[in-house]
Structures are given as structure tokens and as C-alpha cells.
Amino acid sequence: MIRKITILIALILFTTSNYAQVREYKRYLEPNSFSFTKKFGKVEKGMKQNIFLRKMAFQKREDNLKTSLANKYTLDSIVLHEPVEPGEWGNKYKEVYTYDANGNMDQYISYFWDYDIIQWSAIYKAEYTYDSSENLLQIVEFGRDWDENQWYEEFKEEYSYDDNGNMILSVTYYYDLDISQWMKLYKEEYTYDISGNMIQSIFYDWDYTYWDADYKDVYTYNANGAIIQIINYNWDFTLSQWVEEYKWEYTYDASENMILETEYVWNETASQWNENYKWEYAFDTNGKIILETEYIWNESTSQWDEGNKWEYSYDTNRNIILEIEYLWNNETSQWNEEYKFNYTYDYSYSISDLILPFFYNFFYEYVNNMLTEFTVLQWNTNTNEWENSEKTVLYFSEQTNLSVSEVGKEDMKVYPNPFAENVRFSIPGNDTQITFKLFDVQGRKLISRVINNNENVNLESLEGGMYFYNLTVEGKRLKGKLIKK
């Protein structure tokens, strides 16, 4: 089972527009495990494990540390190249992103390189709408009519949230060109515990007049909030009840690194769980994954057989710079090289300098500088050499015109600053509640809650240093720095 694909291949899956793959597209937006390239596209396994990226891809854009949108660098496009001659690259695929005034991606267009006319041809477009809290409200997807040279609507997704900003409902529609209206296709409902952990998701198909339950996932966590089990059920229409299909179990080390992941399939005849796959992980002292090994359960021998293996290397800034994928050779009982990924960075910019589409939010955990290029090489068994397979280039541009509606800074007071334990935010004339968010210097969100004007906010537990705050009042925002003594 090949679980690793490059970013562009994953995004091609993400953008493919037909009924069978709309579901795949949604699943790509849902989280997998934790390694860098899994975030680029471990699609197959991620179809069931939808807890992690659901919270990541559709969350608000505050993870980008929007203390100021001025002088940020937006990811404008990525271009996939393929080898055409030895040492020469040709165009293959491109994606272009645009952003609204708050730095949220509002349009996405993908292209393929047409060698007949020697230019880029658009194949897919998506438009994104957000609410005042920057929750993603709607995605409208368009296909391209090349004969008419125009876009036509294909699919639409609408999202609803609870008061804590958790997504509780997503509904997908397809556009019926014959009657010129949107028709229901499927929906998903999400349930959370008091800690904001998703504990259940249920998927329904629309059956013309009512919703048919299709499958559900149930999630279990340990005391530290780490996922330890996912059970997947399918709805049995004959029995009118949920029946088990898959199960995933997760084990962690003392540092909360996931070291073992096991997949089971339900054996209805024996009424028991049978092993299917497992993945073992190893980490360095910084908590970065350095080795992943996949095993497949052999029913004939009742033992685990090696499948694939991935090795990862990092630079001193903890950016991934090299990944090598191996395939187990049963005949020789050894690992054979399959693919190699080389990653290149511009170290002049940190990840907090960047504005990215929401489905790149995993960058903030696995990349600390500006990723500018990565190359995929494939092992040639005939020549015993690495050969170029694909190259992806990421293009950024400085944005000085992005801005947000802000509360008048001249009237607001933040005191004391620097602070030791408590801090107050005072906005004259404001009687409404304030959404307060706090980030560290790496852009990680530490606090998100509602406060009152002039409320004494206790930040005693923070370590000494600099932090960034983000206040939202009636759709307007104010940002600044806090210093903890």
C-alpha cells in the first residue's frame, strides 16, 4: 500500500472534480498522522483518520500569527515540473492562490501545461467564503468548459460551527445543470467533548428525500488529549444498525511521540478484530520523526511482513531536508530504494513571515523557514542511480497591502506591559465581549477565549519573553506585543 505521494499529486487529488473523488478531496483535507510527507498526502489512510486535519485545515487562520499582515509573504503559486530532457525541466501542473484582506485564501485555480498550444490551461477553480471570525463557511468548486471557455459550478460545501469554533456540520451539494440548482449530495456531523476533542463523526448520503447514514468514526483519547483509538463503522441497512469495519490504535512514548499505529479490520465471521497494517515510528531528541516502517499482516504465516520504510533528515533549523522511501524486497530480504525527496529553503524568512492557504497549515509544525523547492527522484534499478522524477517550485511575494479592520489603537490601553502576572485590555466605549488570542514568537496559539473589557487576564503561567495578542471586537481587530517579565 503506497501511502506517500508528493504535494502536487496530493493536491491534484484535492482538485479533481467528479462525484467519485469529491469524497477523496474532502478526505485529503482531513488529518492523517504527524510526519511531514503524510501531511503532503497520505490520502488512503487519511480517509478514515479525519480527526487531526479536520481541526487543522478548517480552523481559523490565526495559526499564521496574524499580528500584522503587512510585510508578510504570501504563497502565490506552486509549479510542478517534469523532466523533458536530461538536465531540463518542463512544465506540468500549476496552482495559483489569492487572498482576502485578512490573509485568508479566497480563490484557488489549478492549471495543466498544454503542449499543443504551449501555455497553461485552467482545469479547476474553488472560491472560499469566511465569517467574521474567519471560520470557513463555504467552498464553491468550478469545472472548466473549454469549448465555451468559461467556468461552470460543480460542487459546493457549507460549514457550521458551535460557539467554541468547532465545526459541527458540513454539507456538500452538486450543481444540476439540467435544472440549474444545487442538489444535496452528502453531509457530515461532528461531536466534541468538553475539551474540544472530536469524539464522533457521522457521514450521510442524500437519498432524494432523506439522509441515509453511511459510516461513522468514534474517537478515544488519553488523559493528555492524544488520540489512542479510532473505530470506523458502516451502517447495515439490513440489520438497521452500525457494524464495525476498521479500527486504529495508537501508542506513545514518554515524550508523547506516537511510536506505534496499528490498523485492524473486523472479521464478521469470527466476530473479532484482525490485524491489517501497522506503522512503527522513531524520533530524534527534538521530537522529529526520523524513521517510519510499515508492516502488512500475513494471514498465512500469522506474522508481520515488511512493506515500506521512510527515513527523514533535518537541518539545524529543524526543517526537513531529505526523505528516502524504501520498498521491502521479499526475494532478497532487503530494503530497496524507491523515491528520494530533497527540500530546499530560503533561510532569510521564517515560517511566521508567511501567509499560506489553509491546507498548508501543517507547515507550521514541520517547516520553520520558507520552503522554496523540493525535488522527487526515483531509483533506477537498471542503472543503479537516482533519476529526476518531479520538481515543485513554490513562489512567494511580499504583501504590503493586506489589512484588516482595526480598533482604534490610539484609544486602547494594554497595561501593565511588560507584566508579571495579569494584564488588562481597555477599549473606551466598548460594552461588548472581546475575543482574546495569544501566540508565541513561533506563531503557535497558546490561548483563545472570550474576555470582558477591562477584565484582569491572568497570564502567570507563561514563561518570560515576548508574545503577540490578537483582539477581535465586533468584527474589528487589534494586534500587538506583550512582554512577560
Side-chain angles (χ1 to χ4, degrees):
M1 178 175 64
I2 302 299
R3 301 196 304 148
K4 300 299 181 72
I5 54 179
T6 67
I7 182 171
L8 262 300
I9 297 175
L11 292 175
I12 290 171
L13 290 177
F14 166 75
T15 56
T16 302
S17 300
N18 58 56
Y19 175 80
Q21 290 181 320
V22 167
R23 194 150 155 182
E24 299 295 321
Y25 142 71
K26 283 198 65 178
R27 292 302 178 199
Y28 171 69
L29 291 182
E30 298 164 355
N32 314 302
S33 206
F34 44 81
S35 81
F36 182 79
T37 47
K38 288 180 187 173
K39 300 298 185 183
F40 279 96
K42 193 180 68 176
V43 177
E44 182 175 356
K45 185 161 170 284
M47 287 181 63
K48 300 298 183 185
Q49 297 174 310
N50 61 6
I51 180 64
F52 306 98
L53 180 54
R54 175 63 68 184
K55 288 182 153 189
M56 185 181 295
F58 287 110
Q59 68 187 1
K60 309 178 191 69
R61 290 272 304 168
E62 68 264 14
D63 286 332
N64 197 4
L65 185 59
K66 291 185 182 178
T67 55
S68 174
L69 293 179
N71 301 315
K72 292 279 188 176
Y73 292 82
T74 57
L75 176 58
D76 298 324
S77 64
I78 58 175
V79 179
L80 175 66
H81 301 276
E82 59 184 353
V84 290
E85 296 289 344
E88 293 185 13
W89 294 97
N91 294 325
K92 183 177 181 180
Y93 177 82
K94 179 174 71 171
E95 295 180 353
V96 177
Y97 318 111
T98 60
Y99 304 83
D100 63 19
N102 293 324
N104 298 303
M105 182 182 66
D106 57 11
Q107 184 174 268
Y108 161 95
I109 302 178
S110 61
Y111 304 79
F112 76 94
W113 182 256
D114 192 326
Y115 282 96
D116 292 333
I117 58 177
I118 315 179
Q119 68 180 30
W120 292 107
S121 293
I123 55 175
Y124 171 87
K125 181 175 72 169
E127 295 177 346
Y128 305 84
T129 305
Y130 305 83
D131 63 17
S132 59
S133 298
E134 298 186 60
N135 291 307
L136 180 63
L137 285 182
Q138 181 178 271
I139 303 175
V140 180
E141 302 175 69
F142 300 83
R144 187 70 175 175
D145 187 327
W146 290 324
D147 293 332
E148 298 294 333
N149 195 30
Q150 64 183 15
W151 296 106
Y152 60 91
E153 295 159 313
E154 280 195 313
F155 298 100
K156 177 175 69 172
E157 296 190 6
E158 296 178 340
Y159 308 99
S160 301
Y161 302 82
D162 61 19
D163 292 338
N164 296 318
N166 296 311
M167 181 187 293
I168 56 175
L169 176 66
S170 67
V171 183
T172 300
Y173 306 82
Y174 73 93
Y175 193 76
D176 192 323
L177 294 174
D178 294 332
I179 60 176
S180 298
Q181 70 179 42
W182 291 105
M183 307 294 292
K184 297 183 181 73
L185 188 58
Y186 57 80
K187 73 172 181 178
E188 287 187 81
E189 297 175 344
Y190 314 99
T191 306
Y192 303 82
D193 61 19
I194 58 175
S195 299
N197 297 311
M198 185 188 296
I199 56 176
Q200 181 175 271
S201 62
I202 304 179
F203 184 95
Y204 302 83
D205 289 307
W206 180 250
D207 191 12
Y208 299 105
T209 57
Y210 59 90
W211 291 107
D212 269 340
D214 187 356
Y215 66 85
K216 75 172 179 179
D217 295 330
V218 177
Y219 311 96
T220 305
Y221 304 82
N222 63 19
N224 297 320
I227 186 113
I228 57 174
Q229 181 178 267
I230 302 175
I231 300 180
N232 171 255
Y233 301 83
N234 274 347
W235 181 255
D236 189 312
F237 289 95
T238 303
L239 300 176
S240 295
Q241 66 183 33
W242 292 107
V243 294
E244 296 92 340
E245 185 178 13
Y246 289 97
K247 180 174 70 169
W248 294 270
E249 293 181 343
Y250 308 90
T251 304
Y252 302 82
D253 62 17
S255 301
E256 295 297 319
N257 296 310
M258 186 188 295
I259 57 175
L260 177 63
E261 181 178 0
T262 309
E263 177 183 287
Y264 303 85
V265 62
W266 180 252
N267 186 325
E268 185 176 356
T269 302
S271 296
Q272 67 181 25
W273 290 106
N274 291 345
E275 292 92 342
N276 196 27
Y277 288 91
K278 76 171 180 179
W279 297 268
E280 295 178 349
Y281 308 98
F283 298 82
D284 63 17
T285 55
N286 295 317
K288 296 291 187 179
I289 185 171
I290 56 175
L291 177 65
E292 173 184 357
T293 308
E294 175 191 68
Y295 300 87
I296 304 100
W297 182 254
N298 189 322
E299 293 184 1
S300 301
T301 61
S302 296
Q303 66 182 17
W304 291 105
D305 292 339
E306 290 86 347
N308 290 72
K309 181 176 73 170
W310 297 266
E311 295 177 344
Y312 308 91
S313 301
Y314 302 85
D315 61 20
T316 55
N317 286 0
R318 301 180 185 179
N319 297 299
I320 188 169
I321 55 173
L322 176 65
E323 173 187 350
I324 302 178
E325 178 179 344
Y326 302 84
L327 179 66
W328 180 256
N329 188 320
N330 289 319
E331 295 180 358
T332 62
S333 297
Q334 66 182 19
W335 292 105
N336 292 342
E337 295 94 339
E338 285 282 297
Y339 293 97
K340 181 166 68 171
F341 303 80
N342 293 318
Y343 300 90
T344 304
Y345 298 86
D346 185 335
Y347 294 98
S348 303
Y349 307 97
S350 69
I351 191 65
S352 61
D353 295 324
L354 310 180
I355 295 175
L356 307 170
F358 61 80
F359 43 76
Y360 287 98
N361 275 359
F362 60 86
F363 269 40
Y364 301 108
E365 186 172 357
Y366 300 99
V367 175
N368 291 312
N369 293 102
M370 179 188 285
L371 177 65
T372 58
E373 178 180 310
F374 69 89
T375 305
V376 183
L377 299 95
Q378 186 171 11
W379 183 257
N380 188 320
T381 56
N382 295 321
T383 62
N384 288 326
E385 293 179 339
W386 289 107
E387 293 184 348
N388 287 327
S389 177
E390 292 176 348
K391 181 175 71 172
T392 299
V393 181
L394 294 80
Y395 295 92
F396 295 83
S397 65
E398 184 175 8
Q399 297 295 319
T400 58
N401 58 338
L402 292 177
S403 62
V404 295
S405 299
E406 295 189 347
V407 180
K409 291 184 179 180
E410 66 278 3
D411 297 324
M412 194 206 74
K413 295 181 180 179
V414 181
Y415 60 95
N417 193 16
F419 69 95
E421 298 180 0
N422 303 299
V423 66
R424 291 177 181 266
F425 299 92
S426 176
I427 303 176
N430 176 61
D431 296 325
T432 61
Q433 290 184 316
I434 302 168
T435 299
F436 166 66
K437 296 170 187 175
L438 190 71
F439 306 85
D440 64 15
V441 293
Q442 293 182 321
R444 294 174 296 196
K445 184 176 63 174
L446 306 177
I447 298 173
S448 178
R449 67 185 184 91
V450 175
I451 62 175
N452 294 314
N453 197 21
N454 289 309
E455 178 180 334
N456 209 29
V457 181
N458 189 295
L459 303 176
E460 183 180 4
S461 61
L462 296 176
E463 296 182 355
M466 183 172 64
Y467 298 87
F468 299 92
Y469 64 83
N470 183 330
L471 305 179
T472 303
V473 185
E474 295 182 331
K476 297 182 178 181
R477 293 192 296 164
L478 180 65
K479 308 172 185 68
K481 298 179 182 178
L482 290 174
I483 303 296
K484 173 74 182 295
K485 295 179 181 178

